Amino acid sequence: MTRLMLGKNLERICKAVLLLCLVHFIIMTIFYLDVYTQRFDIFSRFNSRNYSKMHQYFNISKPNGTSPAILGGEDHFVSSRKLESNLTVTKKPLPLCPDVPQGLVGRLLIEFSSLMTMEKVQRENPDVREGGKYTPPDCIAKQRVAIIIPFRHREHHLKYWLHYLHPILRRQKINYGIYIINQQGEGMFNRAKLLNIGYMEVLKDGEYDCFVFSDVDLIPMDDRNLYHCYDQPRHFAIAMDKFGFRLPYNGYFGGVSGLSKEQFLKINGFPNEYWGWGGEDDDIYNRITLKGMKVSRPDSRIGKYRMIKHERDKHNEPNPQRFTKIQNTKLTMKQDGINTLKYKLVNVTKYPMYTNITVDIGTPPPRVSRG
């Protein structure tokens, strides 16, 4: 009897333990299922947020349920382009170039003994554009300067001139173009008429407002001698080595000079009737003073020039009529100048370091013999 009751009690205890285990199992199953569901939901949200951050410039809810390519796809590339095109990019405007640019050297050592080639000049000035043009990249020049050189058979001198002047003008922050006005043929040379032609022709090539007229054999010895125009007509070459670095006389206006467009037109340009060497510079000086202007000059320490030595050119002999013509400037300047200029344009060739303009200037009128 006792054994029977003990067996029944053990049976009840076992059933209770089994029941308890079953309940525990059910509770744990429910608990784990709930936790798993929460973790899956969190993971999904996390992925969704990351996707949105990676592609914040895309519209996720696209028509037709299409999703964009994730890395480097075509749609992503196009969307970036569209984004860039919609952005307003504001570039900082360039400042005006300073009156006295930084980087000027001052006094220069000028020599003509070393071999010079046009290829070397071109290598030295890679930022000069075709036709001998240059624009400062870091500032806006206040003037556009045309440098005009009367020319015939001076190729050797031209190489040295370009070798020295291109770097000087670039340091001066000048917006410039270099023009060689080449007289065709072997007739009598006429410097002033070539300068008038240069003025007319360069305006066909650009909107210049300043004109520097330079002989090809004169090199400035100081880059502080700035090649631009001033309130008054400018005489740059005031102290040449051939004159002992002194101004030969007060009315001298030869070598290198500069006039603005207004100043040039005010004096009716330069005379056309000075055939041969000499006299035209003094005539130009007279025109300036007769129109109430004054010649401005740099300090003599800055306005020094070296001249490339050479023999006098053929068909450029001294003009025997120059002294008479100089005395009559007041009478002749209205009918002898830019308003009466006649010539024929032969060709225009743009080289890497300069623009060559070849012209036919005609022949001098026959001289009246004294009876």
Side-chain angles (χ1 to χ4, degrees):
M1 184 70 178
T2 303
R3 290 181 179 180
L4 181 62
M5 290 183 65
L6 181 60
K8 288 181 178 181
N9 289 334
L10 288 173
E11 184 181 357
R12 290 173 182 161
I13 293 172
C14 289
K15 288 180 178 180
V17 171
L18 289 173
L19 181 60
L20 183 61
C21 290
L22 179 61
V23 171
H24 181 266
F25 176 78
I26 293 173
I27 292 173
M28 292 302 296
T29 301
I30 295 172
F31 175 77
Y32 281 115
L33 287 174
D34 182 64
V35 171
Y36 178 79
T37 304
Q38 291 179 9
R39 288 184 178 179
F40 182 78
D41 182 63
I42 291 172
F43 181 75
S44 300
R45 292 179 183 177
F46 176 78
N47 284 346
S48 177
R49 286 197 298 270
N50 283 351
Y51 186 85
S52 298
K53 288 180 180 178
M54 288 173 61
H55 306 282
Q56 55 184 315
Y57 297 120
F58 287 106
N59 182 5
I60 301 298
S61 57
K62 286 192 171 184
N64 302 325
T66 56
S67 61
I70 296 177
L71 294 176
E74 182 180 357
D75 194 35
H76 177 266
F77 182 75
V78 174
S79 298
S80 298
R81 279 186 181 177
K82 291 180 179 178
L83 177 68
E84 291 175 1
S85 65
N86 289 334
L87 292 175
T88 302
V89 180
T90 56
K91 293 184 179 180
K92 186 178 180 181
L94 292 176
L96 290 176
C97 295
D99 293 333
V100 182
Q102 296 181 353
L104 296 178
V105 177
R107 295 185 64 180
L108 305 171
L109 177 62
I110 307 297
E111 58 87 19
F112 309 114
S113 59
S114 60
L115 178 65
M116 189 58 56
T117 65
M118 202 62 72
E119 290 76 14
K120 180 180 179 181
V121 176
Q122 190 172 347
R123 288 195 304 268
E124 293 169 343
N125 302 278
D127 48 355
V128 174
R129 304 191 307 276
E130 184 183 43
K133 296 182 180 181
Y134 175 79
T135 302
D138 55 351
C139 62
I140 300 175
K142 298 176 183 178
Q143 300 175 0
R144 294 195 64 187
V145 182
I147 300 175
I148 300 171
I149 300 176
F151 189 87
R152 186 171 65 181
H153 305 323
R154 294 286 193 91
E155 287 77 10
H156 177 68
H157 295 170
L158 179 60
K159 296 172 187 176
Y160 285 103
W161 192 95
L162 294 169
H163 164 70
Y164 285 112
L165 265 296
H166 269 306
I168 289 174
L169 295 169
R170 285 163 40 219
R171 289 197 299 271
Q172 292 181 355
K173 304 292 184 181
I174 305 293
N175 183 344
Y176 68 88
I178 293 176
Y179 297 86
I180 306 302
I181 314 302
N182 180 40
Q183 179 174 330
Q184 185 186 51
E186 301 299 330
M188 189 67 70
F189 194 72
N190 191 325
R191 177 180 181 270
K193 188 171 185 178
L194 290 172
L195 297 179
N196 274 343
I197 294 171
Y199 172 87
M200 296 293 291
E201 289 297 321
V202 302
L203 287 176
K204 299 176 183 178
D205 192 49
E207 297 180 0
Y208 294 102
D209 47 25
C210 175
F211 305 85
V212 173
F213 306 95
S214 174
D215 290 343
V216 73
D217 56 1
L218 288 176
I219 310 297
M221 300 177 66
D222 196 309
D223 62 1
R224 294 171 294 178
N225 195 358
L226 302 177
Y227 274 37
H228 59 73
C229 290
Y230 296 78
D231 293 337
Q232 299 292 331
R234 188 74 164 180
H235 183 213
F236 297 99
I238 67 168
M240 299 183 197
D241 55 354
K242 76 169 185 176
F243 296 136
F245 295 110
R246 295 180 181 179
L247 189 68
Y249 53 93
N250 189 54
Y252 183 67
F253 198 68
V256 185
S257 58
L259 291 88
S260 68
K261 188 174 184 179
E262 293 75 17
Q263 294 163 359
F264 186 86
L265 294 176
K266 190 173 183 179
I267 64 173
N268 192 25
F270 300 158
N272 298 312
E273 298 304 325
Y274 282 81
W275 297 88
W277 182 87
E280 77 281 355
D281 297 324
D282 295 330
D283 191 294
I284 296 167
Y285 182 87
N286 290 343
R287 290 174 182 237
I288 291 171
T289 57
L290 286 170
K291 286 298 182 178
M293 296 183 287
K294 296 181 179 180
V295 172
S296 66
R297 294 186 171 106
D299 186 275
S300 60
R301 292 168 295 182
I302 294 177
K304 292 183 177 181
Y305 278 75
R306 281 206 64 187
M307 175 179 282
I308 305 174
K309 294 181 180 180
H310 59 90
E311 300 294 329
R312 187 180 301 280
D313 302 322
K314 293 182 179 180
H315 307 292
N316 192 28
E317 293 79 12
N319 181 357
Q321 299 177 335
R322 62 187 185 278
F323 299 110
T324 302
K325 288 180 175 295
I326 292 169
Q327 295 174 359
N328 294 314
T329 302
K330 187 175 182 179
L331 301 176
T332 59
M333 64 181 296
K334 290 183 179 179
Q335 63 265 17
D336 179 19
I338 197 70
N339 63 341
T340 57
L341 178 65
K342 295 180 181 180
Y343 65 98
K344 293 179 181 179
L345 178 64
V346 177
N347 62 62
V348 178
T349 306
K350 291 183 180 295
Y351 293 101
M353 294 290 103
Y354 64 95
T355 297
N356 182 85
I357 301 174
T358 300
V359 293
D360 178 0
I361 67 170
T363 58
R367 293 179 182 177
V368 179
S369 59
R370 296 178 181 178

